[in-house]
Amino acid sequence: MAETRDRILDALGTLLPEVGPAGATLEAVAARAEVSKGGLLYHFGSKEALFAGFLARLEEATAGEVERMRASADHGVETYLRISSVTDDHFTRTFLSALALIGTAEVDAAATVARVLATYRSAVEECVPDPVLARLVQLVGDGLYLNAMVGSLDPAEDDHVIARIVAMTRP
Amino acid sequence: MAETRDRILDALGTLLPEVGPAGATLEAVAARAEVSKGGLLYHFGSKEALFAGFLARLEEATAGEVERMRASADHGVETYLRISSVTDDHFTRTFLSALALIGTAEVDAAATVARVLATYRSAVEECVPDPVLARLVQLVGDGLYLNAMVGSLDPAEDDHVIARIVAMTRP
DNA sequence: ACCACTGTACCGGCTGGACGGTACAGCATC
DNA sequence: GATGCTGTACCGTCCAGCCGGTACAGTGGT
């Protein structure tokens, strides 16, 4: 069942920020997903496949987020930065989990994250004519993600930064 | 000998970006440092102590970097951003290694990194009067680090962004 | 000058436990 | 009774930490 598969990936997503890749044991993931270890290995033949499945879903979700950016009235900049600074967003959590996967032997998470960032970058460049400014916008978003990763994010305060940047991008 | 201790920590620092925390076995670190496993465990009683020692050295190095910022002619902003974007710098590599440690069970690397970022933040706030702009500068720096972590950094290109920000901070 | 002893630095084999992966038996539903 | 899925017992590997040992540089009593 595809539902079970997604439940397993969700379980991995909640587990990774809590205990890191080392703590994300097959048994731990199975327990969190309320599946047996055998059941997990039925859906994902190996830990590598499990992680790869997670990263694949991240890339799909990225496409969806970029679509949301394109559809937004302000041409996406604010939408982009808001997502980065809202830590309880599902996509943000998935992205942070992927960051936690960087450095694991099983899978090249860095490459996937790099692709995700590149996708975002093209999207930002679409709605900010000045390429230097576009890159600046993206770097601020990335900075927000890094701060979210280490848990030092004050969303209320960073609202002002976001507002400033949005103002810069529409003269 | 303190020299051996430092050599071990250096070995860990070069190993972490290459193979990640999972690959940074006691034996692997010992081999890289040209010490036996027993010798390593003589200096660091456990893997946790090894990682903790590495993070402690990062915090010391941070103090030194902030000092360099304070001493620089341009009031630190450019110095700060340059460090973030130069991936072969010793401090940058140490910092990226610490990022790789986030999520390991042995040690709370996120807290250390958060403290390092907070230290930098105060330093930037010292030389940029506008607090919102100061935060923006710091977020761009953090964004550069994140990009360096996933290997998607084009230093030549980001020079323009740095120049733009430096211009913004001295009207 | 010599020896007994102590502390420091380092070495490498061993073991117990954890974890990834396999095998297989059970149990629905069709 | 076949298929899709689940649970569990088990195996092999890998690794952290332990431990018995070596080398050697003091140190101090004689």
Side-chain angles (χ1 to χ4, degrees):
Chain A
M1 197 75 87
E3 181 224 320
T4 305
R5 233 185 97 98
D6 276 329
R7 211 174 61 236
I8 292 171
L9 291 180
D10 286 338
L12 178 61
T14 67
L15 218 48
L16 277 175
E18 286 176 29
V19 296
T25 310
L26 290 186
E27 277 180 64
V29 175
R32 178 66 60 96
E34 291 177 321
V35 179
S36 74
K37 194 169 125 177
L40 191 158
L41 282 162
Y42 174 78
H43 289 284
F44 300 94
S46 68
K47 197 173 191 181
E48 184 181 339
L50 173 65
F51 285 177
F54 187 80
L55 293 178
R57 218 178 52 161
L58 170 65
E59 292 205 70
E60 286 172 31
T62 304
E65 290 296 320
V66 166
E67 215 48 56
R68 272 187 50 203
M69 273 179 67
R70 291 215 177 86
S72 70
D74 68 332
H75 293 286
V77 170
E78 184 161 9
T79 307
Y80 171 59
L81 294 176
R82 289 263 173 253
I83 291 166
S84 315
S85 70
V86 175
T87 51
D88 57 352
D89 177 72
H90 185 268
F91 177 78
T92 301
R93 282 209 322 272
T94 305
F95 183 75
L96 293 180
S97 300
L99 288 182
L101 280 182
I102 292 177
T104 53
E106 286 85 3
V107 82
D108 189 1
T112 302
V113 171
R115 271 196 303 277
V116 169
L117 292 185
T119 304
Y120 265 126
R121 192 169 176 182
S122 330
V124 172
E125 273 168 354
E126 269 180 43
C127 50
V128 178
D130 179 356
V132 175
L133 192 55
R135 178 62 169 159
L136 192 148
V137 168
Q138 208 221 342
L139 285 174
V140 169
D142 295 348
L144 288 171
Y145 275 130
L146 185 66
N147 277 266
M149 181 166 68
V150 301
S152 66
L153 205 57
D154 181 352
E157 192 185 4
D158 288 323
D159 263 6
H160 298 113
V161 180
I162 294 176
R164 174 81 59 103
I165 302 223
V166 170
M168 283 167 61
T169 55
R170 47 169 167 226
Chain B
M1 198 77 90
E3 181 224 318
T4 305
R5 233 186 95 99
D6 276 329
R7 211 174 61 237
I8 292 172
L9 291 181
D10 286 339
L12 178 60
T14 66
L15 218 47
L16 277 175
E18 286 177 29
V19 296
T25 310
L26 290 186
E27 277 181 66
V29 175
R32 177 68 60 97
E34 289 177 321
V35 181
S36 74
K37 193 164 65 164
L40 191 159
L41 281 163
Y42 172 80
H43 289 284
F44 301 95
S46 68
K47 198 172 191 181
E48 181 181 341
L50 173 65
F51 286 176
F54 187 80
L55 294 178
R57 219 178 51 161
L58 170 66
E59 293 205 68
E60 286 171 32
T62 304
E65 290 296 319
V66 166
E67 215 49 56
R68 272 187 51 204
M69 272 180 66
R70 290 215 177 87
S72 70
D74 68 331
H75 294 283
V77 170
E78 184 161 9
T79 307
Y80 170 59
L81 294 177
R82 289 263 173 255
I83 291 166
S84 316
S85 70
V86 175
T87 51
D88 57 351
D89 176 72
H90 185 267
F91 177 80
T92 301
R93 282 210 322 270
T94 306
F95 183 75
L96 293 181
S97 301
L99 288 182
L101 280 182
I102 292 179
T104 53
E106 287 85 3
V107 82
D108 190 1
T112 302
V113 171
R115 272 196 302 278
V116 169
L117 292 185
T119 305
Y120 264 126
R121 191 169 177 182
S122 331
V124 172
E125 274 168 354
E126 268 180 42
C127 51
V128 178
D130 178 356
V132 175
L133 192 54
R135 178 62 168 158
L136 193 149
V137 168
Q138 208 222 340
L139 286 174
V140 169
D142 297 347
L144 287 171
Y145 275 131
L146 184 66
N147 277 267
M149 183 166 66
V150 300
S152 66
L153 206 58
D154 181 354
E157 191 186 2
D158 289 322
D159 263 6
H160 298 114
V161 180
I162 294 176
R164 173 83 58 104
I165 301 223
V166 169
M168 283 168 60
T169 55
R170 49 173 167 219

